[in-house]
Structure formats: C-alpha cells, structure tokens
Amino acid sequence: METRDAVAGAIVSSDGEEQTAKKDAAPKKDKPQTKSRMEQILGFKKEDLTSWQSLVTLLNRPTDPASLGIFRCLFGLLMAIDVTQERGLSHLDYKYLDGAPVCRFPLFNFLQPLPLDWMYLVYVVMFLGTLGIMLGCFYRLSCLMFISTYWYIFFLDKTAWNNHSYLYGLIGFQLTLMDGNRYWSVDGLRRPTIRNAHVPLWNYTLLRTQIFIVYFLAGIKKLDADWVEGYSMSYLAHHWLFDPFKMILPVELVSLLVVHGGGLFLDLTAGYLLFFDATRPYVFVFVSYFHCMNSQLFSIGMFSYTMLATSPLFCYPDWPRRFFARFPALLRAVLPFTSPDPQPSTSCVYRETHSAGTEHQETPPVAKPSKLRLKHKLRAIFTILYIIEQFFLPYSHFITKGYNNWTNGLYGYSWDMMVHSRSHQHVKVTYKDGKTGEIGYLNPGVFTQSRRWKDHGDMLKQYATCLNQFLPRYNISEPEIYFDIWVSINERFQQRIFDPRVDIVKADWSPFRPNTWLMPLLVDLSPWRTKFQEIEGSLDNQTEIVFIADFPGLHLENFVSEDLGNTSIHVLQGQVNVEVVEEKKNYTLKPGEQIKVPAGAYHKVYTVSEDPSCYMYIYVNTTEAVLLQNFTKLFELQERVRNGTETEPLPPELQPLIAADDDEGAEVNATDPIVRLFLKRQRRMKEVKKRREAGVLERLERFAVKKYYTIRRGFLMTTIAMRNLAVGLPPLEQLTREVAFANMKEPETEANQDERLKDEVGHGEL
C-alpha cells in the first residue's frame, strides 16, 4: 500500500494538474496507456508482485526525495529538543548521581553508565548527531552518532522505556540506511551528484509502514476489554480539554465514547485513511487534533510533534516542491528546491519507458534503464524482513516469558499505549539478616529514583540483587529481601502482584521462563467494578474507600494513621479474620459484616476462606475534615470583614486575614498555623486562577521562559563537563559557583518550588 504515490506525485504541478514532459526530451510516440484501477489506488500493478525481480524493481523504483528530506529535517530538529528534555541532558547530574549508591535497571546487567562528565560527552555526541540529521550534514556519520548513543542510553534504563522513545530509535535506525540527504541538505551542497536525486521507494515504504504499525497495532491493543468498557483511562474525561464534549454528554459517556471509543477508532483507521487521497485531508484534521490533545494530556515530550511530522509522509512525495513554489521568488534561494525534475540516482532501478506524453512517467527522460544489482536485492530483502519483524515483535511475548507480568512484555515496544493504568496502595520492603534472623523494613524506593520496578518481575529481581549488595555496608549480613506490593490495574481491586513469601534475592528468574513468584491477576473479580461505582457514589465527599482482594492463606498487615479516626472494614466476598494487634483479639467476618479498627494501631486481615476474599476500607480523614471546617469559618469571617458586617474586633492572631488582599506575604506574619495555611492556600488558588485565565501571549511567554532555563542549564552543565574532561576539575569553590550559576531560575519559580518542597515533606518517594 505504501507504493501508491511513488512517482506519480513527482510530476504534478503546483495547481494539481499533470505536466507533460519536455517535447525535445520525450517525443510522443504512442497514446497514453490507461492505468488499471489497482494502479490508480495503490500506485503499482498486479504484475509488480508476480515475481521476485519485479518486486525488487518496485521497491527500488525512483521516487521524489522532497518529502523524505523535509521529514529528515523535522525529525532532527525534534530530536535535538528531545535530547535536552526527555533524554535528560538538563538534569543529567540528578539522573545518574555519579558516585552515589544507586540501583539501576539496564536491559543487560553488564551495561553501566560512564562517569558523569563522560556521560555529558555521550549526550554531546547524540546532540551533534541530531543537528547533523536536521541539516543533512555528514548525514551517515550523524545518523550513526545519534543511534549509537541513543540506543546506549535507551538500554541503560528500562524504567524510562515507553513506546515513543522506542519509536525514535527505530526511525533513527531507518534514516541511517536511507538517502535522507538528497533534498535540502548541506551534503547536497557539498556533493552535487546527490543533490535533488531520486530515492528508492523502499525509503518511503519503511517509514509509512512503521507509522501504520504504530497506529494500527495501538488500535488492536485497545480492543482489550478494559479499554472497550472504559476502564483504562477514565480519569482523562475530567480534563479541561474535554469540556466541550461535557456540554452535551455526561462525563461517563465522554469517557466511554470520546476518550475510549474515539481513541480506538482513530488508531484502527488512521493508518488506512492517511493513505487514500479522498480521506487524507479529513483524517489530517483528526490526527492533528488528537496529537495536539495528547501533548496537553500527557508528559510525552516530542512524541505528539513527531507524529505530526510523519503525517505528510503519506502525501505525494513532491508536496514540498508545490508548497514552497508558492513563496516569493526572493526567498527561494534559502528554501528547498521547487524544480520538478530530480536527477537520477544509482540507488534506484529505472525501467525502460515506451511511451510518454500526458501520462505519469516512472523514469525521467534523462535516466537510462538500469539492471538489478545485489545492493537492490539486499535492500528489498531488508525491507521485507524489517516489516515482518515489526509486526511480529509486539506479539513475541511467548518467547520472552520472563518479562510477562499482568501485562505482556517490557513496556515500550508493544504499542499498547495507555491501555493499562495502575495505582499502588501499599508497598512494603522487608529484609531479613541471613545470620542473625533480624527483620527490618526499608523505605520503598531506597537507592533508586524509579518507581516502575514495582510492576515488573525482572526489575524487582534486579532491585533485590542490588539491595543484597548494598545492605552489607549497613551491617546486614546475607540479606533476604521480600516485597509486598499491592496494585490496582484498570480500577480493579487492590491486590498483590508478587508473592510476599518469596526471597527475591534467591528467587529464580529467566527471560525465557514464566515467573513463578508472580501472583495471578484476579480477573474473575472484574465485574465488581460496576459495584464500586455504585458504592463510591453513595458516599459523601469526605469519605474515602479502598477495595482490597487477597489470596487464601495470606494476610495484610496494616497501620491506621491517627488522622483516620473513623476507619472500618466491610467484607464483600469470602471470609476474613481481623486481628487487632494491641488488643490481642480476633474477629471473624463474613460477607456483609463489618468492624471498626482503631486508629494509631496495627491490625492484620487474614483470608481464611478457600477462595480469594474481597473487602473494603471505608475511612474519613478526621484531621483534614476539621481543617476544612476551620478554613470555611475563616473564609466566612474574612468575607464579613470585607463587606463590613463583622462588628467584633479581630484578635491579633486573625489580623493577617485583613491584610491578605493587599499583602501577598501576609501568611508570613501569621502566628496561628491554621491561619497561615489558610492564607497560603488562598494565595495558591489565586495563582492557579491567574494561570488558567492567562492570555495566549502570557502562556507562550511562560512556556518560553521555562524552556529557556531548562535548556540553559543543560548546556551550561555540559560546558562545565567538557572543561573538566579537557583540563581537569577546578577548585571546589569555583565548581560550586559554576553549578549554582547553571541552576539559576526565575525568582518566582524558585520561591514556588521551595514552598512545594516544604509542603510535600512526607512524600519523599515521589
């Protein structure tokens, strides 16, 4: 299907009409041949598929290089931006923590990061590669510089994997093998023989097929029951981007029909509809709107813009010539070529032309017929094998069984984008001294900055092995490591994902064998999700609820915070035994029964039935409820003072309420902690409202300033690292000043960030 517009568009004029060949180059001998319906729609004839030679000729057919050249330029630009952001150049020192004890999660355990200054050099090489790709300067070398460093960084950290990062690496690999520097490139200026030269059709075939796979397989993966029933991304419907839909539909239908139904339909059909002339303009609008929405909904870096850049690949390859031909003549010196006649290339196979005139020519008049060579056949073989591999790999999980958990395979190469959402309610890491038998607990996430290890058995094994190596430094001999991790996937019950009784250090793991200590997902309990919605709808705004499912023979040990003064357990299914540790009492509960558990104390919930038990915690954060009541009283008092209805004089501790409108720092002078929190909360609400109501120019300015300081830090830290490699480390005082200068931010941003850090004490894992 990718071959439809191979050469046809190369001789379409700016007004869409076909041009005739020059009379002196190709005199008319015969009447134009009528194209078959298949050739009109797909761009090739049935005869092109009847033999190996004809298929090789088809895949190496000369094609206009214009569209490929523009995509190369856009991809290089986007990857240059990506290096400073999602690849992490701007926070590289925080990412790798040179010299600190850190547990890492490479694909292959022998892969380790270089010393920090050398890692900056790796990023410099990658960044220069992206610039070379964008400019088409020393193109092959630039592609190699990019993909070698990119895949090294990619394999270095599985916790950062996602589908779009994988896609970037694939496109970079494809461009390395393509003739992407034939149009609008520095190489074209240096080497006139390749300037504006044809590229073989397989260049477009690979890229179009890759993008088709991204869309189509993402749609296939969304045929999962959780997505179709609207459980995967239900929270998205509450985002402001969906407000126009909520004007005519309730939020539940927006989630089901727009978020899930619309996403499924677009992914399944976009790859096809982009292909055909009749549907392409319409689907352009929808995919552009879709990717622009994604850029606001998710923190996915340059992915949305990269997908937007791929859409024109489905147009006629000469679209840039017709587009730039509309610009004034004085700008054409710096703009891409608008000449409709690319020069011949040895990379292509030219057929002998028997007729000319008004029909599309597959070979330009100046090109001589060429024979099939070994390189043409090898490129055709590579194209076919690559496409087969890309269709196969997302379904290869029956081979890499060790990476299968509740979802199949390592996340990042299966195109199952946004199909699964998770929430973690409880994570406990227990160690046991192998010699003394002493038992202790670790802060979840100690020695690592990632949280993804909680959901993947291979990463859990790496984490346990790392802890086993670090803990002896703290007088813990031959440590055994146990994990009790509770996860809810797509709004199901919170349940254990791994067996908490297994020492993961000694547990067996292989990439090719199923994980024996993985607990099964209780899919039979999925119908309870409709009941969850009914129960949650019957509660007031201050009451919270958590749904738990556990396996026979296991128990949950839980501590109820003193803030949760009204906590009770309600049994939904099965039978449990609740042990209140301090009281040394046991209570047996059956479905429909409940018990109140004391705050500030431990309790254990044992599953004693033969089948999994299901129960729920219902609780009220009494401390928060009292605080909100006090906030309400302070707000009412403040309103009475403002409108003059308050007759009593305010005590000194409430005086800051009067100055709050004029003094933005009034909370600093407040002596009462509740008043201080109230004023700080008010100020934040004003800031949020101001940001939301900001105009387009103000938003653009804020965005530009934020990106400036991010990119600035990355380049300044890189300069420091390059200096260190070249001449050695400076005195510590000088290095401290240089890093402080690189860390400089807007005063307002720094103040806000400091306040957030102070307020979020207790959320160290995040």
Side-chain angles (χ1 to χ4, degrees):
M1 74 174 191
E2 297 81 5
T3 58
R4 167 190 51 79
D5 50 7
V7 180
I11 52 177
V12 176
S13 64
S14 60
D15 60 359
E17 296 178 354
E18 300 174 3
Q19 294 181 344
T20 58
K22 296 180 180 179
K23 296 181 180 179
D24 57 344
K28 186 183 299 185
K29 296 181 180 179
D30 301 311
K31 292 183 179 180
Q33 296 179 357
T34 303
K35 289 188 176 182
S36 66
R37 183 66 174 169
M38 178 178 179
E39 191 173 3
Q40 290 175 358
I41 296 177
L42 301 179
F44 59 87
K45 299 175 290 187
K46 181 175 62 176
E47 290 75 16
D48 291 329
L49 306 178
T50 55
S51 67
W52 169 245
Q53 286 76 11
S54 60
L55 179 60
V56 173
T57 302
L58 174 66
L59 290 175
N60 288 276
R61 190 166 70 180
T63 312
D64 196 303
S67 184
L68 180 62
I70 297 299
F71 173 73
R72 179 216 76 230
C73 183
L74 292 175
F75 179 75
L77 173 63
L78 293 171
M79 291 303 99
I81 300 173
D82 179 79
V83 168
T84 65
Q85 297 188 62
E86 196 169 0
R87 290 322 111 205
L89 177 62
S90 298
H91 56 275
L92 207 59
D93 47 336
Y94 298 109
K95 183 175 182 178
Y96 290 106
L97 297 174
D98 198 20
V102 178
C103 294
R104 307 188 189 279
F105 305 89
L107 179 61
F108 307 106
N109 289 327
F110 65 82
L111 280 177
Q112 293 297 322
L114 301 173
L116 183 60
D117 288 340
W118 288 97
M119 287 302 298
Y120 272 105
L121 180 60
V122 170
Y123 274 71
V124 167
V125 173
M126 181 166 57
F127 183 75
L128 292 177
T130 63
L131 292 182
I133 293 173
M134 179 182 69
L135 299 174
C137 182
F138 298 102
Y139 175 69
R140 304 285 183 203
L141 176 62
S142 297
C143 287
L144 289 173
M145 291 168 60
F146 172 68
I147 65 169
S148 60
T149 51
Y150 185 92
W151 284 107
Y152 166 66
I153 293 169
F154 185 80
F155 289 143
L156 204 56
D157 186 11
K158 289 183 293 187
T159 65
W161 283 19
N162 49 47
N163 289 280
H164 61 267
S165 295
Y166 171 62
L167 177 64
Y168 298 161
L170 292 179
I171 293 177
F173 169 69
Q174 293 175 32
L175 288 176
T176 305
L177 305 176
M178 294 177 182
D179 297 330
N181 60 342
R182 299 303 194 255
Y183 186 79
W184 206 29
S185 67
V186 174
D187 287 347
L189 297 176
R190 295 188 306 108
R191 300 166 56 193
T193 56
I194 69 169
R195 187 182 187 186
N196 194 29
H198 280 127
V199 298
L201 179 61
W202 66 265
N203 286 197
Y204 287 97
T205 301
L206 273 187
L207 286 171
R208 290 170 180 164
T209 305
Q210 186 69 72
I211 302 308
F212 172 82
I213 288 173
V214 172
Y215 282 118
F216 183 67
L217 291 192
I220 294 294
K221 296 300 178 97
K222 286 181 174 63
L223 291 174
D224 180 86
D226 284 356
W227 183 277
V228 174
E229 295 173 11
Y231 290 109
S232 296
M233 292 280 125
S234 59
Y235 65 91
L236 285 184
H238 298 279
H239 197 278
W240 63 267
L241 281 171
F242 295 97
D243 286 349
F245 300 101
K246 285 182 280 188
M247 296 175 63
I248 55 176
L249 293 173
V251 67
E252 294 80 9
L253 286 181
V254 171
S255 175
L256 181 63
L257 300 180
V258 180
V259 176
H260 293 88
L264 172 62
F265 178 78
L266 187 139
D267 280 338
L268 282 176
T269 60
Y272 290 106
L273 299 180
L274 280 169
F275 177 77
F276 298 105
D277 293 344
T279 55
R280 190 183 306 115
Y282 305 103
V283 77
F284 253 45
V285 174
F286 285 107
V287 298
S288 299
Y289 181 68
F290 174 74
H291 292 305
C292 289
M293 287 185 68
N294 284 345
S295 69
Q296 300 301 309
L297 289 170
F298 309 109
S299 299
I300 51 178
M302 294 294 105
F303 177 56
S304 298
Y305 310 107
T306 303
M307 292 303 292
L308 287 173
T310 63
S311 295
L313 287 171
F314 290 85
C315 298
Y316 287 93
D318 73 328
W319 71 263
R321 301 182 190 276
R322 291 180 279 116
F323 176 75
F324 290 110
R326 300 176 183 273
F327 284 73
L330 58 91
L331 296 177
R332 293 182 185 175
V334 295
L335 292 176
F337 284 108
T338 57
S339 169
D341 296 325
Q343 63 174 322
S345 170
T346 57
S347 299
C348 304
V349 176
Y350 293 88
R351 293 178 177 177
E352 183 178 0
T353 55
H354 300 287
S355 61
T358 58
E359 67 168 324
H360 289 311
Q361 300 180 74
E362 297 202 3
T363 306
V366 295
K368 298 180 180 179
S370 54
K371 296 181 180 180
L372 292 181
R373 298 181 181 179
L374 178 61
K375 65 178 182 180
H376 298 134
K377 297 178 181 179
L378 291 177
R379 290 166 182 171
I381 292 173
F382 166 76
T383 301
I384 296 170
L385 291 180
Y386 180 87
I387 292 173
I388 293 174
E389 179 266 342
Q390 281 297 300
F391 274 105
F392 169 75
L393 193 60
Y395 297 96
S396 64
H397 309 305
F398 65 93
I399 299 175
T400 55
K401 298 178 181 179
Y403 292 106
N404 297 342
N405 299 284
W406 287 349
T407 57
N408 287 331
L410 281 167
Y411 181 74
Y413 64 89
S414 299
W415 312 119
D416 50 350
M417 294 173 280
M418 305 301 173
V419 177
H420 306 106
S421 60
R422 296 176 175 84
S423 64
H424 299 81
Q425 182 68 26
H426 177 72
V427 179
K428 183 170 71 173
V429 183
T430 306
Y431 70 83
K432 180 179 180 181
D433 192 302
K435 291 185 177 180
T436 65
E438 177 187 359
I439 295 177
Y441 303 95
L442 300 174
N443 178 32
V446 65
F447 298 124
T448 182
Q449 297 174 299
S450 172
R451 293 178 289 172
R452 194 175 285 191
W453 55 268
K454 300 173 185 177
D455 302 311
H456 300 272
D458 59 299
M459 298 185 197
L460 200 73
K461 177 66 176 179
Q462 288 177 305
Y463 188 37
T465 303
C466 178
L467 292 176
N468 179 261
Q469 296 171 353
F470 284 155
L471 290 182
R473 303 180 187 179
Y474 303 89
N475 299 320
I476 302 172
S477 304
E478 301 176 8
E480 302 173 5
I481 308 295
Y482 302 88
F483 295 92
D484 194 12
I485 302 172
W486 293 74
V487 186
S488 170
I489 185 169
N490 291 345
E491 302 184 16
R492 289 181 174 85
F493 281 101
Q494 291 279 341
Q495 66 157 97
R496 288 182 167 97
I497 185 171
F498 301 111
D499 194 331
R501 300 164 295 189
V502 175
D503 173 17
I504 305 300
V505 175
K506 299 176 182 177
D508 182 49
W509 182 85
S510 167
F512 306 110
R513 293 196 301 271
N515 191 342
T516 57
W517 31 276
L518 173 72
M519 305 295 281
L521 178 64
L522 297 173
V523 292
D524 292 341
L525 302 178
S526 297
W528 274 95
R529 289 180 292 190
T530 55
K531 186 66 174 177
F532 294 169
Q533 297 173 354
E534 297 177 9
I535 296 174
E536 291 171 342
S538 64
L539 303 176
D540 57 51
N541 293 332
Q542 294 182 344
T543 303
E544 301 289 341
I545 190 167
V546 178
F547 298 97
I548 304 291
D550 204 3
F551 296 90
L554 297 179
H555 72 276
L556 168 65
E557 183 180 17
N558 205 358
F559 177 81
V560 179
S561 171
E562 294 181 354
D563 294 328
L564 309 181
N566 186 16
T567 302
S568 58
I569 298 174
H570 300 245
V571 178
L572 302 172
Q573 178 177 303
Q575 185 171 324
V576 301
N577 193 329
V578 180
E579 175 188 355
V580 181
V581 177
E582 288 187 356
E583 299 178 2
K584 297 182 179 180
K585 293 182 179 179
N586 294 291
Y587 304 90
T588 301
L589 301 179
K590 296 180 180 180
E593 297 180 345
Q594 65 183 63
I595 184 175
K596 186 174 181 179
V597 290
Y602 280 95
H603 66 271
K604 298 179 181 179
V605 183
Y606 296 85
T607 297
V608 295
S609 56
E610 295 182 357
D611 298 322
S613 64
C614 304
Y615 52 95
M616 59 184 177
Y617 281 92
I618 299 180
Y619 60 94
V620 176
N621 190 327
T622 52
T623 302
E624 182 181 5
V626 171
L627 185 63
L628 290 176
Q629 290 177 1
N630 289 329
F631 281 176
T632 302
K633 293 178 181 178
L634 289 174
F635 178 76
E636 293 173 350
L637 176 61
Q638 191 180 49
E639 287 296 306
R640 291 198 300 270
V641 171
R642 286 173 177 171
N643 58 34
T645 57
E646 178 62 33
T647 57
E648 298 292 330
L650 296 182
E653 63 270 17
L654 298 181
Q655 288 294 327
L657 293 175
I658 303 176
D661 293 335
D662 301 324
D663 185 6
E664 292 185 356
E667 69 268 13
V668 178
N669 302 321
T671 57
D672 187 283
I674 295 179
V675 174
R676 188 184 305 115
L677 283 174
F678 171 74
L679 294 176
K680 184 179 293 187
R681 180 171 179 263
Q682 274 197 327
R683 182 167 60 83
R684 285 188 177 179
M685 292 173 65
K686 289 180 181 178
E687 291 175 356
V688 171
K689 182 179 179 181
K690 181 181 178 181
R691 292 172 68 92
R692 288 181 176 175
E693 295 177 352
V696 176
L697 292 179
E698 186 178 347
R699 288 171 182 263
L700 287 175
E701 180 185 4
R702 191 166 60 227
F703 174 81
V705 170
K706 178 182 177 181
K707 294 304 178 184
Y708 164 75
Y709 281 99
T710 299
I711 296 173
R712 173 186 180 274
R713 185 183 192 278
F715 281 103
L716 288 177
M717 293 297 292
T718 301
T719 303
I720 294 171
M722 295 303 98
R723 189 274 319 277
N724 294 344
L725 291 176
V727 300
L729 286 170
L732 183 59
E733 295 79 7
Q734 178 184 342
L735 188 61
T736 303
R737 290 195 304 270
E738 292 172 347
V739 173
F741 179 71
N743 288 334
M744 185 179 67
K745 297 180 180 180
E746 289 181 286
E748 181 182 354
T749 303
E750 279 187 330
N752 291 343
Q753 195 170 46
D754 291 341
E755 288 181 4
R756 282 198 300 270
L757 290 174
K758 292 177 183 177
D759 291 341
E760 291 177 1
V761 173
H763 297 275
E765 185 186 347
L766 299 178

